Amino acid sequence: MTNSLFKTGLTLLLLLVFGIGYAESNAADPKKKKAIRVLLVGGGSSHDFDRWYKQEDVATLQKDGLASVEYTSDPSAILSKLANIDVLYLANNQPIGDDATRKAIFAFVDSGKGLVLAHPALWYNWNDWPEYNQKLVGGGSKGHNKYGPFDVSLTAAKHPVTKGVPATFGLKDELYYYIAAPSATPIEVLATAKAADSDKVFPSIFIVKYPKGRIVGIALGHDAESHTIEPYKTILRNSVKWAAGK
């Protein structure tokens, strides 16, 4: 065998050995966590869904491989995707009018999967679907303060959803008048919101104590003043992790 052939054969052998070793080490890495599969549904009125949910929130959740997020503004796409996700993140205030999709969302949560309900999705959006607010939202909002500054204060600092969040933080947003309905699914309030010129306090971050699935409500989220601050980003990432049972 010539010297050049010997060197070529040795190089190929080394590449093969190191390639196999690299693949095996990656496959056997127990610390490498599987990304949480999220479907984020936006669309509707009064919000820039593409900018703050499709761009900002997707980037927040996909950072460091926490989640793999698909965004859609088409509610008719939900039905075909539920079987392959861990968390459904509803940020829309446009109707989900299809009865099969409505039933499938309930079946999804009943199977133990996670549901995150963002700012626009906490409204009383649909008169023809009262079960949504009654069972999944635990109530809802029919109004909000004029856009402006207010403070958010934690009431359950040790909950996984609020881990790493300051005890109190300020922002500019629409302070939603979310009210838990007495006959609806009970909620556990994790943080409250209060404007400086008012004594009224409203739930801002909460858990809907649905019997089977994990549901988080986030009343914050109108524009950059919420979506780009660290407390909001931490709450969102924590919410998806907790909803997914991580």
Side-chain angles (χ1 to χ4, degrees):
M1 180 182 292
T2 65
N3 188 45
S4 61
L5 286 175
F6 175 78
K7 288 181 177 179
T8 301
L10 181 60
T11 300
L12 291 173
L13 179 60
L14 289 172
L15 287 172
L16 179 61
V17 170
F18 281 115
I20 292 173
Y22 178 78
E24 288 179 345
S25 64
N26 275 359
D29 184 2
K31 295 180 181 179
K32 192 172 184 180
K33 296 180 180 179
K34 188 176 180 180
I36 300 166
R37 301 168 301 172
V38 179
L39 176 65
L40 201 174
V41 184
S45 63
S46 305
H47 300 84
D48 189 343
F49 292 94
D50 280 1
R51 177 64 186 91
W52 304 120
Y53 290 97
K54 183 178 181 179
Q55 293 184 42
E56 202 69 36
D57 280 7
V58 168
T60 294
L61 291 173
Q62 293 192 153
K63 183 180 178 182
D64 299 327
L66 172 70
S68 173
V69 186
E70 180 179 355
Y71 176 88
T72 183
S73 58
D74 179 9
S76 68
I78 297 172
L79 185 61
S80 65
K81 298 181 183 296
L82 289 177
N84 298 311
I85 63 171
D86 305 302
V87 175
L88 177 62
Y89 178 10
L90 295 181
N92 60 305
N93 58 14
Q94 64 174 319
I96 300 174
D98 177 58
D99 188 56
T101 301
R102 292 178 174 185
K103 290 179 179 178
I105 289 172
F106 270 93
F108 177 81
V109 183
D110 283 336
S111 72
K113 296 296 183 71
L115 178 64
V116 175
L117 302 171
H119 180 81
L122 295 178
W123 206 259
Y124 279 97
N125 289 308
W126 308 299
N127 292 329
D128 65 337
W129 193 20
E131 296 85 5
Y132 173 82
N133 286 88
Q134 184 76 9
K135 296 181 179 180
L136 299 181
V137 186
S141 178
K142 294 182 178 179
H144 60 72
N145 264 16
K146 182 179 179 180
Y147 180 91
F150 60 87
D151 289 330
V152 175
S153 299
L154 302 189
T155 56
K158 294 183 179 180
H159 195 280
V161 169
T162 53
K163 182 180 180 181
V165 179
T168 301
F169 62 93
L171 76 166
K172 290 181 180 178
D173 203 334
E174 296 170 328
L175 197 165
Y176 265 29
Y177 301 155
Y178 173 91
I179 297 174
S183 58
T185 306
I187 68 167
E188 176 186 352
V189 180
L190 306 181
T192 58
K194 178 184 176 301
D197 60 353
S198 174
D199 292 329
K200 293 182 179 180
V201 177
F202 294 95
S204 187
I205 312 298
F206 54 92
I207 299 301
V208 182
K209 301 172 78 172
Y210 195 78
K212 297 178 181 179
R214 293 186 171 210
I215 304 176
V216 185
I218 304 173
L220 309 174
H222 185 72
D223 62 11
E225 297 285 347
S226 52
H227 289 265
T228 62
I229 65 173
E230 289 305 316
Y232 175 91
K233 291 181 179 182
T234 301
I235 289 167
L236 179 58
R237 287 171 63 86
N238 287 350
S239 295
V240 166
K241 283 195 289 186
W242 182 82
K246 304 294 185 181

